[in-house]
Amino acid sequence: MRISVIGCGYLGAVHASAMAKLGHDVVGIDVDTAKIDRLSAGEPPFFEPGLPELLTASIASGRLRFTTDVAAAAEATVHFIAVGTPQTADGNAADLRFVNAAIDELLPYIGPGHVIAGKSTVPVGTAARLAERIEATGARLVWNPEFLREGYAVHDTVEPDRLVYGLRAGDEASAAVLDEVYAHALELGTPRIVTDFATAELVKVSANAFLATKISFINAMAEIAEATGADVTQLADAIGHDTRIGRRFLNAGVGFGGGCLPKDIRAFTARAEELGRGESVAFLKEVDSINLRRRRRVADLAMAELGGSVNGKKIAVLGVTFKPHSDDVRDSPALDVAVSLKGLGAHVVAADPKGVANARLRHPQLDYVEDATDALSGADLVVLVTEWPEYTGLDPVATRELVAGAIVIDGRNALDRDAWIAAGWRYRGMGRD
Ligand code: UGA
């Protein structure tokens, strides 16, 4: 297939590279010249395991190129929309300006026989609105949401756990086109669900809302555990054995962040309110509040452990990214904790294997190091907020030699608590002590 991918961020760059690997001819298009230059040179502009190899191999095969010129889309007949839909600056709704601009720019190059596949996460009702303009050219629209996780994006794109096609009733021709694009996944037996536009859009946001709810549920239990002396990790293990509940996404800690879950639940709430159905998802506001409270809990614990104030104390913050195996610091709980502690007067030294450059752009006021040893040396308190293997695997005995105060707050319940206590540390977890 001849494919164009509009938008070459986390989603589009991986999608374009993976589609080329699968044998399609792909052009990736983005307005950001610096991003296109780096991608063309085989260098992803962000950290994603496996992407450098995939990108280099796809470019070398001659089936992948990148450009800022949207006219290149004229060579393709399948066009993926993979631009961002960030939270608006003045509210909770999604900002659709990049989606609208992508369609505006694409319209002159599409016509009968072309399929536009929308991958961006959009408020329900967007596809129906865009379809009218697309269909006026003779092209067709399919809403084809993406479920990839950062850190596993290559795997999730090549071998997704499901494919969803939202299309006009009876548009079998467009479904057949996407079947050809995804032939590899379909041969592996990937479930394929064909829906209308609204259902496909809702599948995406409801999946993220469910995941966010699951995390906030266990974090709410952590709050109750803190009031009662119970242990939320054991609780999660025990309820997780019930396969109806499941253990995954039940890790209590400093909560969820990133470019998707937080803004998606807010945009979903805003859209439901527009539809007069705000009540149906009012619980998502609670999910958001629980999540944000966990960040404050870390700062409160830090103050309590340092005698009521962190002022002038050196705090080693381990992790700034929203999760390990990513350099993404968007809405990162870890970075938020570091900034709050700094705001309370602490001397914060934040370490991260991949996220320092992005964190520094957002919060230049913090001191950053790539090597955790520099953060740990002489620290009065250690706070683990992103569970990078480099940090969860720290030797508590050797680490104790580096610090001034052997107190650790495990914001991800990811350390071997007994080993740290045995090495002489005072250990504080989230929803367990
Ligand atoms: C999320 C979804 O998992 C993907 O399916 C979806 O495609 C993507 O958003 C998107 O909409 O594009 P991602 O943002 O990469 O993927 O991150 P997750 O792995 O979902 O983690 C989100 C946050 O939840 C992280 O901050 C993580 O630390 C936190 N988390 C996760 C917990 O606090 N506890 C858990 O048990 C699991």
Side-chain angles (χ1 to χ4, degrees), residues 241-396:
H241 281 298
D242 182 334
T243 50
R244 293 171 303 173
I245 296 173
R247 180 62 179 84
R248 294 177 74 191
F249 267 67
L250 275 188
N251 293 323
V254 74
F256 59 82
C260 304
L261 263 46
K263 65 113 176 147
D264 286 354
I265 60 169
R266 292 173 198 148
F268 194 9
T269 310
R271 182 64 183 134
E273 283 167 358
E274 270 174 21
L275 293 165
R277 293 287 191 278
E279 254 187 346
S280 306
V281 293
F283 69 94
L284 290 177
K285 288 188 178 162
E286 206 52 51
V287 165
D288 203 4
S289 305
I290 294 166
N291 191 51
L292 296 175
R293 275 207 299 273
R294 298 319 281 165
R295 303 178 184 191
R296 291 201 291 277
R297 166 76 181 164
V298 176
D300 290 347
L301 272 178
M303 285 197 292
E305 289 302 325
L306 293 174
S309 167
V310 298
N311 197 23
K313 299 288 170 73
K314 178 172 175 183
I315 302 184
V317 173
L318 302 184
V320 295
T321 54
F322 83 108
K323 66 175 188 181
H325 313 296
S326 167
D327 63 357
D328 196 345
V329 299
R330 288 176 294 172
D331 211 332
S332 166
L335 190 52
D336 222 15
V337 165
V339 169
S340 310
L341 292 170
K342 170 87 182 175
L344 292 167
H347 172 211
V348 172
V349 183
D352 197 282
K354 298 288 176 197
V356 165
N358 284 339
R360 192 176 273 130
L361 284 175
R362 279 172 198 245
H363 293 290
Q365 76 274 26
L366 296 179
D367 288 336
Y368 296 101
V369 291
E370 257 146 46
D371 182 350
T373 308
D374 298 329
L376 292 164
S377 296
D380 298 296
L381 171 71
V382 178
V383 177
L384 182 141
V385 262
T386 312
E387 69 277 35
W388 283 99
E390 288 89 328
Y391 304 152
T392 57
L394 280 172
D395 174 5

Side-chain angles (χ1 to χ4, degrees), residues 3-21 25-46 51-52 54-60 62-73 75 82:
I3 292 174
S4 80
V5 178
I6 319 287
C8 294
Y10 286 95
L11 166 56
V14 177
H15 193 70
S17 309
M19 292 302 113
K21 183 193 172 194
D25 275 318
V26 185
V27 58
I29 303 171
D30 199 290
V31 291
D32 183 338
T33 311
K35 196 181 276 178
I36 290 299
D37 288 348
R38 289 194 59 180
L39 286 166
S40 301
E43 290 169 27
F46 50 86
L51 184 57
L54 178 68
L55 185 59
T56 315
S58 294
I59 293 172
R63 290 193 299 269
L64 176 63
R65 69 186 185 93
F66 293 95
T67 177
T68 52
D69 183 5
V70 72
E75 301 159 16

